[in-house]
């Protein structure tokens, strides 16, 4: 591994080894069976942060990216979306920063009070630090944006343009749907996710 080479450059070298392993396998000793076994690798998913996922699955770089050589892997389907970076530190962060930048000083002061007084008793989170969430809108954490996603509708309703509020309405509907550790009924869940965008 290198601390200078880019991840895709390093992946290119790994791909030769992976291809060889997928074709010929690796002989290994199975301690329980007490015999040699042939191990064939299968790549089921590629994990990465949001910028890396974009780079891995980018159609423009399909001919250059070594990820397209992995047998049985579709980078568009097999790179799970990470809610923290895509939703909270992605959409929510930029929408929040945009909303705050549209406010006058008087509106910002009003928003700080609304956030500080927002009843969080049913949310399992500590009281909101209104001044911090407004003053440092561009430097908040995923935890902050998780709280903002739950409070935004109730504190921004008359402070931002209708289009901006509607974007928060959609995002606030989407966050709890994508923040699921497991989905019992995928068909029903997909209907709810689709409706949250309408």
């Amino acid at each position: 591994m290198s601390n200078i080479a880019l991840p895709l450059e390093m992946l290119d070298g790994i791909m030769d080894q992976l291809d060889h392993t997928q074709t010929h396998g690796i002989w290994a000793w199975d301690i329980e069976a007490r015999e040699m076994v042939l191990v064939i690798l299968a790549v089921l998913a590629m994990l990465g942060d949001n910028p890396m996922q974009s780079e891995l699955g980018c159609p423009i770089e399909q001919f250059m990216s070594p990820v397209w050589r992995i047998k049985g892997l579709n980078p568009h389907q097999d790179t799970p979306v990470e809610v923290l970076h895509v939703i909270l530190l992605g959409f929510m962060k930029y929408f929040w920063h945009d909303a705050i930048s549209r406010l006058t000083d008087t509106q910002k002061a009003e928003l700080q009070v609304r956030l500080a007084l927002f009843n969080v008793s049913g949310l399992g989170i500590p009281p909101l630090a209104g001044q911090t969430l407004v003053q440092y809108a561009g430097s908040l954490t995923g935890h902050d944006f998780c709280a903002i996603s739950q409070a935004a509708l109730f504190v921004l309703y008359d402070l931002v343009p209708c289009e901006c509020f509607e974007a928060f309405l959609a995002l606030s509907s989407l966050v709890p749907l994508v923040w699921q550790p497991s989905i019992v009924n995928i068909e029903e869940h997909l209907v709810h996710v689709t409706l949250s965008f309408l």
Side-chain angles (χ1 to χ4, degrees):
M1 294 303 235
S2 167
N3 61 355
I4 298 173
L6 297 173
L8 283 181
E9 291 177 65
M10 291 187 283
L11 183 60
D12 195 40
I14 294 168
M15 280 308 307
D16 294 334
Q17 296 173 1
L18 180 61
D19 187 49
H20 179 45
T21 302
Q22 288 180 323
T23 304
H24 303 297
I26 300 171
W27 285 99
W29 179 257
D30 185 326
I31 194 164
E32 293 211 8
R34 295 180 183 226
E35 64 182 350
M36 295 297 288
V37 294
L38 183 62
V39 178
I40 306 285
L41 297 180
V43 178
L44 302 176
M46 293 286 290
L47 301 178
D49 59 10
N50 191 33
M52 180 50 62
Q53 285 179 316
S54 296
E55 193 173 340
L56 288 174
C58 180
I60 296 171
E61 298 183 16
Q62 281 184 13
F63 301 106
M64 300 175 2
S65 175
V67 77
W68 290 96
R69 294 179 12 218
I70 301 174
K71 292 179 181 87
L73 180 78
N74 179 337
H76 299 295
Q77 294 178 343
D78 301 330
T79 51
V81 173
E82 186 188 9
V83 176
L84 173 64
H85 288 98
V86 175
I87 305 292
L88 297 179
L89 296 175
F91 298 120
M92 190 58 71
K93 173 182 177 177
Y94 296 111
F95 277 65
W96 182 250
H97 188 268
D98 179 66
I100 300 303
S101 70
R102 295 170 180 266
L103 302 180
T104 65
D105 289 341
T106 303
Q107 290 174 313
K108 287 178 184 177
E110 173 68 22
L111 180 58
Q112 288 177 10
V113 171
R114 289 181 183 183
L115 287 164
L117 295 176
F118 185 74
N119 184 351
V120 297
S121 62
L123 301 178
I125 59 175
L128 302 180
Q131 182 180 357
T132 300
L133 295 176
V134 173
Q135 184 176 349
Y136 301 106
S139 304
L140 301 174
T141 66
H143 177 76
D144 297 322
F145 291 115
C146 188
I148 288 168
S149 74
Q150 298 174 77
L153 298 180
F154 304 100
V155 297
L156 287 177
Y157 61 91
D158 62 349
L159 296 176
V160 294
C162 183
E163 297 82 11
C164 183
F165 181 75
E166 287 176 359
F168 273 102
L169 182 62
L171 269 174
S172 295
S173 297
L174 180 64
V175 168
L177 294 173
V178 296
W179 204 284
Q180 298 290 322
S182 63
I183 300 169
V184 177
N185 183 333
I186 189 68
E187 297 302 324
E188 183 180 328
H189 185 75
L190 289 173
V191 169
H192 290 299
V193 170
T194 303
L195 290 176
S196 75
F197 285 109
L198 300 178

